[in-house]
Amino acid sequence: MSEIIIGIDLGTTNSEVAVVQDGQLTVIKDQGSALLPSFVGLSDNNEILVGETAKNQYAAYPERTIKSIKRSMGEDVQVVMGEQSYTPQEISAVILKRLKAIAEQHLGHSVTKAVITVPAYFSDTQRQATREAGDIAGLEVVRMINEPTAAALSYESDQKTHRRVMVYDLGGGTFDVSVVNIENDVVEVISSHGNNHLGGDDFDQKIIDFLVDHLKEKQGIDVESSSKTMARLVRAAEIAKRTLSDQPFAHIEEEYIAEKDGQPIHLSIELDRKNFEAMIEDYIEDTLESVHIALSDAQLTASDIDKILLVGGSTRVPLVRECLQKKFGMEPHSEVHPDLCVAMGAAIQAAMIGGAKVSTVLVDVTPYTYGTSAIGHINGEYTPFMYCPIIHKNTPLPVSKSEVFATSSDGQEVAEINIYQGEDPDALNNIEIGKFTVEGLKDVEAGNRIVISLNLDLNGVLNVSAKEKDTGLEKTITIENVISRFEEAQLDTARDRIDAFFAINADEDASDIAPTGKDEHHEARSLIEKAQGMLEKANNEDREDMVNIIEALNAAIEAEDTQKIAENVEQLSDILYYLEN
Ligand code: AMP
């Protein structure tokens, strides 16, 4: 048997380890998650903490917790953690050592070799530092590959055919775009561009600003001085952003968000996807500017690109896909998990070096686009049958998506909903797979909003609902076998694909370090101690919040109520984080 070489994505925010074993690709989970937060810390007993536990203590103990060490790789600096200082290589080595242990636990034997990914823009010094980190962790880095190359490998099993792929990678805090050339078994980055300070965190900030302004204008309160309120807004904004990736509206409901003249203030507002898109369009425009630069650096134009791959959590924002589709006239691909495809590509490269055969990474996706029709224009011509896609082809299953439409005439009490399968902008050129009417709509002016939701499951069953937004009046239909155009043999392949997909997620219990209840209490108690030490520094409002949470946390510890402990630890950590930053 050939020696197993692991594949590692050593990321700024999260890191992952993957492996190919008997032709089967697995991203290895630790404590139920494939993402290991790239945080390293020291506990108050001077024990080393890596991942979630280190991340959890960051708010309370930033002086002995390190995050985003990747940004310092290759620099001649030392970072302080507790009483001592360390090189970036040493901190990265701690993360690598943890990933090595996770892989060893999963495989049941020791591992000594790895393929590690690095950003395409990493200099020789940064690459050398990464190699040294591997050495320190007891891993021989048999090859270092560029992250976009790894992403391309996770999609392209056949490297013989000549193709040019664009990898668009938008994460929480960084953006990169690369043009990758695939020819005769050589996969190489031919140009790369990006912005180290652009990502989903900026999108969150726009929503936070919007909420702060709303509270100022509508309630006359300024919440920016309250860390507790701001921490809640940060969390609510990120949740709303994720909701808007699948739904046309997000409701933001935060009770008792603040107080005015002794009266509680509740935040209740609806954010519309269109408004959110207007907030972030300049950021997306900036990314397209980088796309343009990467293309001209490669001396190519948009039409030279064969395939666009989406990498990074923020590519789930629909506007990203739409803008790329408009620019390139083709659907971008995101069927391999955008957070895991880099680690998968590293493992595929590792297996190839080790001489193992790798079957393609396959996930179950819809091969067709599904949508409805509306009044609109096709090539400037008026039509009542403009196709409006809702679920795009190549989306992993199961999937639920909603879009909002509006009635076109005053007093319209009936809406006819047609559902199509296909890609043509003219709905009549697609296959109509279902239709129904919603009757009894409110007698109002044109513009009455109807939300159409499509839910497609792994068995090809499509549930469709149309709901009048203002009244909740709803009609639903189920359309069976919408993917049944599969031949029987294709169905078998699809089943195998699904099995393979789930096998990737099947290693729930690879962990050997599940935290015990006792440890959680210990963490909570340390946090209380820390918060008590900071009460003096806090303003009156924060102090009152902190005292209340400490009280609730003590009661939860007393009652051994794990959920309440976790909730209060989270709230208290958020406040401390704000006070310290
Ligand atoms: P990454 O650095 O690739 O892990 O990406 C993290 C970023 O992706 C964060 O800003 C997340 O809020 C964002 N993200 C994750 N899921 C979604 C989603 N469904 N819609 C929009 N943004 C998302």
Side-chain angles (χ1 to χ4, degrees):
M1 198 184 77
S2 60
E3 182 180 6
I4 287 197
I5 305 172
I6 55 176
I8 291 178
D9 171 6
L10 186 59
T12 310
T13 327
N14 292 302
S15 298
E16 299 88 38
V17 57
V19 67
V20 174
Q21 203 180 9
D22 304 326
Q24 173 83 51
L25 175 57
T26 309
V27 183
I28 306 171
K29 288 192 170 185
D30 178 46
Q31 298 185 56
S33 171
L35 305 181
L36 180 77
S38 303
F39 282 71
V40 175
L42 286 177
S43 73
D44 45 8
N45 303 329
N46 254 354
E47 276 164 344
I48 194 86
L49 302 174
V50 193
E52 206 60 49
T53 44
K55 185 177 176 183
N56 287 342
Q57 75 156 29
Y58 180 75
Y61 307 110
E63 69 284 357
R64 49 179 159 90
T65 316
I66 311 278
K67 68 167 189 170
S68 305
I69 193 63
K70 186 169 174 179
R71 292 193 192 273
S72 309
M73 286 300 271
E75 288 175 16
D76 188 12
V77 292
Q78 298 262 315
V79 288
V80 179
M81 182 169 67
E83 309 276 279
Q84 297 199 30
S85 48
Y86 301 85
T87 62
Q89 289 90 319
E90 286 171 311
I91 300 297
S92 289
V94 175
I95 300 171
L96 290 173
K97 219 171 159 57
R98 179 77 198 113
L99 293 168
K100 176 176 184 283
I102 291 169
E104 287 173 343
Q105 164 83 15
H106 170 78
L107 292 165
H109 58 74
S110 72
V111 170
T112 57
K113 293 181 178 173
V115 168
I116 300 183
T117 59
V118 289
Y121 61 78
F122 253 28
S123 65
D124 281 349
T125 324
Q126 290 169 304
R127 285 165 200 261
Q128 184 53 30
T130 307
R131 194 176 287 282
E132 284 161 15
D135 273 353
I136 300 168
L139 282 171
E140 180 194 341
V141 183
V142 292
R143 191 160 314 166
M144 232 167 322
I145 61 170
N146 290 319
E147 286 160 12
T149 307
L153 277 175
S154 77
Y155 276 86
E156 302 286 338
S157 56
D158 161 29
Q159 284 118 41
K160 294 266 183 279
T161 327
H162 179 216
R163 261 185 315 270
R164 281 198 201 97
V165 174
M166 168 160 280
V167 180
Y168 179 103
D169 183 351
L170 187 60
T174 59
F175 167 69
D176 296 297
V177 57
S178 309
V179 179
V180 178
N181 200 47
I182 302 172
E183 195 167 19
N184 296 331
D185 285 341
V186 179
V187 184
E188 61 172 352
V189 176
I190 48 180
S191 71
S192 198
H193 200 265
N195 180 342
N196 255 340
H197 294 280
L198 171 65
D201 298 347
D202 298 299
F203 302 174
D204 298 348
Q205 190 56 47
K206 286 282 183 191
I207 302 181
I208 297 164
D209 294 346
F210 163 78
L211 296 175
V212 167
D213 287 350
H214 170 82
L215 287 167
K216 218 176 270 176
E217 276 165 30
K218 292 281 179 305
Q219 308 279 5
I221 48 166
D222 187 349
V223 292
E224 279 173 297
S225 59
S226 164
S227 308
K228 184 184 176 194
T229 306
M230 289 306 288
R232 282 178 65 186
L233 293 186
V234 169
R235 214 172 278 280
E238 211 242 351
I239 294 171
K241 175 186 73 174
R242 288 178 185 244
T243 303
L244 290 173
S245 291
D246 299 326
Q247 315 274 337
F249 306 99
H251 298 277
I252 302 170
E253 305 281 346
E254 293 286 324
E255 295 211 330
Y256 300 101
I257 190 88
E259 232 180 50
K260 189 185 173 193
D261 307 330
Q263 294 298 314
I265 304 277
H266 307 300
L267 171 67
S268 172
I269 189 170
E270 186 179 79
L271 180 60
D272 178 313
R273 189 193 289 159
K274 289 274 170 281
N275 291 343
F276 171 61
E277 289 177 344
M279 294 175 192
I280 61 164
E281 66 189 358
D282 286 349
Y283 291 128
I284 311 273
E285 207 40 60
D286 284 353
T287 68
L288 293 182
E289 190 53 35
S290 294
V291 165
H292 181 72
I293 295 171
L295 279 174
S296 67
D297 285 353
Q299 299 180 329
L300 298 173
T301 63
S303 61
D304 296 315
I305 298 298
D306 299 307
K307 200 169 188 175
I308 306 164
L309 308 183
L310 300 183
V311 180
S314 300
T315 57
R316 294 194 180 95
V317 171
L319 186 62
V320 168
R321 169 182 289 277
E322 275 165 36
C323 290
L324 287 169
Q325 158 124 37
K326 225 179 260 166
K327 190 172 175 79
F328 289 87
M330 68 174 105
E331 285 269 357
H333 287 253
S334 56
E335 56 266 33
V336 181
H337 197 308
D339 300 312
L340 305 181
C341 62
V342 171
M344 288 174 165
I348 291 171
Q349 177 73 73
M352 287 176 352
I353 294 169
K357 198 167 156 23
V358 192
S359 44
T360 333
V361 182
L362 289 173
V363 290
D364 199 48
V365 296
T366 158
Y368 307 108
T369 297
Y370 299 93
T372 187
S373 58
I375 295 172
H377 292 87
I378 302 174
N379 300 330
E381 300 258 319
Y382 170 86
T383 167
F385 295 105
M386 180 180 79
Y387 187 43
C388 307
I390 297 179
I391 293 178
H392 290 261
K393 75 171 180 186
N394 293 327
T395 308
L397 297 179
V399 56
S400 290
K401 297 272 177 197
S402 307
E403 291 289 345
V404 65
F405 297 86
T407 52
S408 57
S409 25
D410 293 347
Q412 184 177 332
E413 287 177 11
V414 178
E416 184 167 315
I417 315 291
N418 299 59
I419 302 297
Y420 300 92
Q421 169 190 299
E423 321 298 326
D424 200 289
D426 182 348
L428 299 180
N429 291 336
N430 294 321
I431 304 164
E432 187 184 277
I433 53 170
K435 93 167 140 187
F436 62 106
T437 53
V438 193
E439 287 161 24
L441 297 174
K442 258 193 352 187
D443 181 5
V444 290
E445 285 176 13
N448 185 10
R449 291 172 299 176
I450 314 281
V451 177
I452 301 189
S453 307
L454 264 54
N455 176 311
L456 181 57
D457 74 9
L458 280 163
N459 300 315
V461 177
L462 183 69
N463 279 302
V464 183
S465 88
K467 190 170 178 177
E468 185 177 41
K469 180 143 194 312
D470 288 347
T471 62
L473 171 75
E474 188 176 14
K475 177 125 183 224
T476 59
I477 59 162
T478 298
I479 310 168
E480 305 280 344
N481 287 329
V482 294
I483 317 182
S484 65
R485 261 147 263 270
F486 274 128
E487 299 293 329
E488 200 46 44
Q490 281 176 301
L491 267 180
D492 283 339
T493 320
R495 272 185 217 109
D496 289 344
R497 288 167 160 210
I498 298 163
D499 290 348
F501 181 47
F502 283 109
I504 290 173
N505 298 320
D507 310 284
E508 297 283 336
D509 51 9
S511 159
D512 55 343
I513 53 153
T516 62
K518 205 160 139 259
D519 273 333
E520 270 168 46
H521 296 188
H522 177 70
E523 189 201 325
R525 287 203 186 90
S526 310
L527 196 67
I528 291 173
E529 219 172 89
K530 170 94 179 176
Q532 282 165 336
M534 289 175 70
L535 282 175
E536 265 183 32
K537 271 206 256 162
N539 65 24
N540 285 348
E541 196 175 336
D542 284 344
R543 191 176 312 130
E544 200 182 318
D545 289 336
M546 286 161 75
V547 169
N548 288 340
I549 300 172
I550 292 172
E551 218 166 82
L553 186 51
N554 273 324
I557 295 174
E558 187 73 17
E560 303 248 323
D561 185 336
T562 332
Q563 186 173 346
K564 283 250 155 51
I565 295 175
E567 281 168 20
N568 285 295
V569 162
E570 190 173 289
Q571 285 187 24
L572 196 54
S573 305
D574 286 346
I575 295 186
L576 297 189
Y577 179 80
Y578 257 87
L579 288 176
E580 301 224 290
N581 284 282

